[in-house]
Amino acid sequence: MSENPLAPYHPIIYVRGFAAMQSEIEDTVADPYMGFNIGSTKSRMAWTGDVKRYYFESPLVRLMSEHGYRDVFEDGEDMVASERPDCEIPYRSVVIYRYYDEASQDFGTGKTPPIEHFAQGLGELILRLRDKICANPRSGVAKEHFRVHLVAHSMGGLVCRALLQNPKLGSAQARAAVDKLFTYATPHNGIDMRIVRNVPGWLSFGDANNFNRDRMADYLGLSSSEDVAVVKNFPPERIFNLVGTNPRDYTVAAGLSAWGAGDASDGLVRIDNATTHGLGADGKDVSSPRAFVHRSHSGHYGIVNSEEGYQNLTRFLFGALRVDGILDVDDITLPAEVQKEFDAGKEVQASYQFEVTVSVRGCQWQMTRREVRECSAIFRTYDELFPGKKGTMRPPDRARSPYLFSVFLDPSKSVKASKSVSFAFDIKVLVPDYSVDGLLFMKRHYEGGYIMRELILVEAFPDAAALGGWRIKYGYQDDNPGKATLSVETHALGDGTGFGFELAIAQKTRPGLKGTLRIEARPV
């Protein structure tokens, strides 16, 4: 057998998040699914706080009902842990990594082991699951082709990363068996709070120092001088980061956590700390795919028990095409009055906020959303976009080009007979608050105005004769609502991983923007 015939539907291991208090640990171990079975009836539909009832059954139920997964509990036993010779575990299984059992006063010692111990235990679970499944002749999968998906919430993502990138933890066989990692609200760059900033290393209460960067570097196999959000020994593009942007509905510690984390957070993890990156196959630094959803760290409005979370999860695990959007800015012009002040030698400063939402055809939810009013917009200063000495020609820094979105598309969910997959992205560049010699320049200012706005539709058709196996069309909502009718000629990406195309932007009015929307697609 040359490959796994059951891909991309590999077993899923869920790794839950942090429990600080002993009472939380006991509540956790009392639940067979450790929270992965929790659904929700609440969905915050608007930034004003208006609530519409929306029934989301839970990730576990949806994986079972829509993708044929099963749990591993039978007759009161966990079949992965059982020594029964008659148990058969199906390949499409959802396994809960019950690493807090050891910390339970009922099932263990009542003492919480270090995160390194949890990582090693995860590696052992992967190999045990492999042996059990591959022993089932009906699985049709040899050990060397066995793969597993890891799905983790909060600290669970750090447990997974510790296994994957620290060669001292677990085995190479276990690491090689991991196909993809999906993280919900994981503090990949630690936890920062008002006043204390990064969680201090001496804060051992409840093992909260697991989120101190020096401590993280240790168990992630990094040096103390390295960025702890860097992924090593595992492809960063095979990790998906789902980032929450709603702090106000995180009610832990009577709202003190949300206050400490601040607005640009999910109530515990700051947006800037929730993503990973690392070196790609070409040796260049690449960002892991990510999406931003207006959900809190946990609770009724939590990120795990949300439709947006589930849709990003399943499309990342089972989808066929990844599409990324990047905005390369060549020039941003000033309003005529501000330009006049600049020409007169006055100091002019401006920063820019980029909003973007992405939705897929036929659905009422959004795959990703970054907006100013939710404190999640992409922020760039003029000097970041165009570094260099003032008064000189300053070429753009492409490393600071706004990374708009990464979306995964699944032809099995297509509503068209052609099996085409489609999405729309709405991009806005807001008018900034200009300052002249340190004073706000408010003439002709209207709050909420924007330099540019486009709603663009992209549709990909399976076509064996086309580059990368996909034929692409696009369109503008203003020209032909709901339809992508314009054909585009794609080109191979420089790294050989897929194909792409560009759309030129030229706003001639002042203030205006000139640049290129760069769309990159990669079969997965």
Side-chain angles (χ1 to χ4, degrees):
M1 184 171 59
S2 60
E3 59 183 16
N4 189 321
L6 304 179
Y9 294 97
H10 304 302
I12 292 172
I13 295 179
Y14 174 65
V15 188
R16 69 148 286 142
F18 180 61
M21 307 289 290
Q22 190 65 39
S23 60
E24 292 179 88
I25 293 174
E26 300 304 334
D27 287 343
T28 293
V29 302
D31 178 356
Y33 304 106
M34 293 193 162
F36 203 46
N37 56 316
I38 296 177
S40 176
T41 62
K42 294 184 178 182
S43 175
R44 188 171 294 284
M45 301 297 290
W47 70 276
T48 59
D50 298 332
V51 177
K52 178 181 178 181
R53 187 172 299 185
Y54 184 93
Y55 293 95
F56 175 69
E57 299 96 320
S58 80
L60 180 69
V61 171
R62 293 286 288 276
L63 284 166
M64 290 178 171
S65 63
E66 296 181 5
H67 295 281
Y69 275 81
R70 290 175 50 189
D71 64 24
V72 293
F73 302 129
E74 185 176 321
D75 296 329
E77 286 190 77
D78 180 344
M79 290 295 99
V80 179
S82 174
E83 298 297 336
R84 284 172 46 181
D86 62 330
C87 69
E88 291 187 352
I89 298 176
Y91 197 71
R92 292 196 196 188
S93 295
V94 176
V95 178
I96 310 301
Y97 178 30
R98 298 183 57 87
Y99 64 88
Y100 268 125
D101 281 356
E102 292 184 65
S104 166
Q105 292 176 339
D106 292 332
F107 301 141
T109 64
K111 296 181 180 180
T112 305
I115 204 166
E116 290 91 339
H117 181 79
F118 294 152
Q120 289 177 322
L122 176 59
E124 293 166 4
L125 175 62
I126 290 171
L127 295 182
R128 186 173 181 85
L129 179 62
R130 179 201 65 181
D131 293 346
K132 290 269 188 176
I133 286 179
C134 295
N136 180 0
R138 284 185 282 189
S139 72
V141 176
K143 285 186 178 181
E144 62 268 26
H145 299 132
F146 172 88
R147 295 294 182 270
V148 67
H149 295 312
L150 301 181
V151 177
H153 176 228
S154 193
M155 189 187 77
L158 299 179
V159 173
C160 295
R161 282 185 58 200
L163 168 68
L164 293 175
Q165 62 184 88
N166 189 341
K168 295 180 181 179
L169 305 177
S171 68
Q173 283 186 325
R175 282 187 281 276
V178 177
D179 186 54
K180 294 178 181 178
L181 166 62
F182 184 97
T183 67
Y184 299 95
T186 290
H188 290 293
N189 191 38
I191 289 180
D192 289 296
M193 291 285 171
R194 300 178 201 258
I195 303 174
V196 298
R197 302 299 296 169
N198 184 220
V199 172
W202 48 261
L203 187 60
S204 59
F205 173 74
D207 295 306
N209 58 357
N210 282 334
F211 311 113
N212 171 266
R213 292 189 185 95
D214 289 338
R215 172 81 178 100
M216 291 174 65
D218 187 43
Y219 62 70
L220 292 175
L222 301 169
S223 69
S224 58
S225 62
E226 287 184 284
D227 177 2
V228 294
V230 167
V231 175
K232 292 188 174 182
N233 303 323
F234 191 80
E237 66 272 13
R238 299 193 75 79
I239 299 177
F240 192 102
N241 310 136
L242 192 64
V243 183
T245 66
N246 174 12
R248 65 176 171 174
D249 286 319
Y250 189 58
T251 57
V252 168
L256 184 62
S257 171
W259 174 85
D263 287 333
S265 75
D266 62 10
L268 180 63
V269 181
R270 293 187 180 178
I271 291 173
D272 289 343
N273 288 342
T275 56
T276 52
H277 63 101
L279 295 182
D282 59 359
K284 297 180 180 179
D285 189 74
V286 297
S287 297
S288 297
R290 71 280 307 267
F292 299 77
V293 296
H294 195 54
R295 290 284 178 167
S296 62
H297 192 76
S298 63
H300 296 305
Y301 300 98
I303 196 169
V304 177
N305 56 333
S306 69
E307 187 71 44
E308 302 97 320
Y310 174 75
Q311 295 298 339
N312 276 290
L313 168 68
T314 54
R315 282 168 167 78
F316 172 65
L317 296 184
F318 314 135
L321 189 68
R322 171 185 170 178
V323 184
D324 296 271
I326 305 98
L327 177 60
D328 289 332
V329 180
D330 294 322
D331 188 26
I332 301 181
T333 58
L334 297 170
E337 295 92 334
V338 179
Q339 184 68 48
K340 183 178 179 180
E341 300 285 357
F342 179 77
D343 293 340
K346 295 185 178 180
E347 172 110 11
V348 173
Q349 292 183 327
S351 55
Y352 298 86
Q353 300 201 71
F354 302 80
E355 294 189 337
V356 62
T357 60
V358 178
S359 56
V360 292
R361 181 172 51 199
C363 299
Q364 291 184 304
W365 32 262
Q366 294 167 327
M367 296 294 290
T368 188
R369 185 169 86 196
R370 306 193 69 174
E371 295 186 347
V372 167
R373 61 188 178 186
E374 294 171 357
C375 300
S376 60
I378 304 166
F379 179 85
R380 294 287 187 275
T381 65
Y382 184 87
D383 289 344
E384 285 178 309
L385 293 170
F386 302 95
K389 187 177 180 180
K390 293 182 179 180
T392 64
M393 291 295 295
R394 297 159 67 171
D397 181 2
R398 292 298 184 229
R400 298 298 293 161
S401 291
Y403 180 96
L404 302 176
F405 60 83
S406 47
V407 60
F408 287 78
L409 302 172
D410 186 353
S412 70
K413 298 181 182 292
S414 177
V415 298
K416 292 290 189 74
S418 66
K419 292 299 180 184
S420 68
V421 287
S422 180
F423 69 97
F425 63 98
D426 188 6
I427 176 173
K428 292 183 284 186
V429 182
L430 275 69
V431 174
D433 294 330
Y434 301 98
S435 70
V436 177
D437 283 349
L439 298 175
L440 282 176
F441 192 90
M442 302 301 289
K443 295 179 182 178
R444 293 177 58 190
H445 175 83
Y446 297 92
E447 188 65 26
Y450 46 84
I451 294 174
M452 70 152 285
R453 179 176 186 177
E454 291 284 3
L455 178 59
I456 301 173
L457 293 80
V458 178
E459 187 166 9
F461 299 83
D463 186 344
L467 181 63
W470 295 88
R471 178 168 45 87
I472 306 295
K473 287 190 175 184
Y474 74 99
Y476 296 92
Q477 180 74 0
D478 289 345
D479 296 339
N480 202 342
K483 293 184 178 180
T485 58
L486 303 174
S487 297
V488 65
E489 184 175 345
T490 59
H491 58 78
L493 297 178
D495 59 6
T497 59
F499 56 94
F501 65 95
E502 290 78 36
L503 300 176
I505 297 173
Q507 300 281 117
K508 297 182 180 180
T509 57
R510 283 182 171 270
L513 181 146
K514 181 181 179 183
T516 302
L517 272 170
R518 182 156 42 98
I519 308 298
E520 299 179 349
R522 295 172 173 86
V524 294

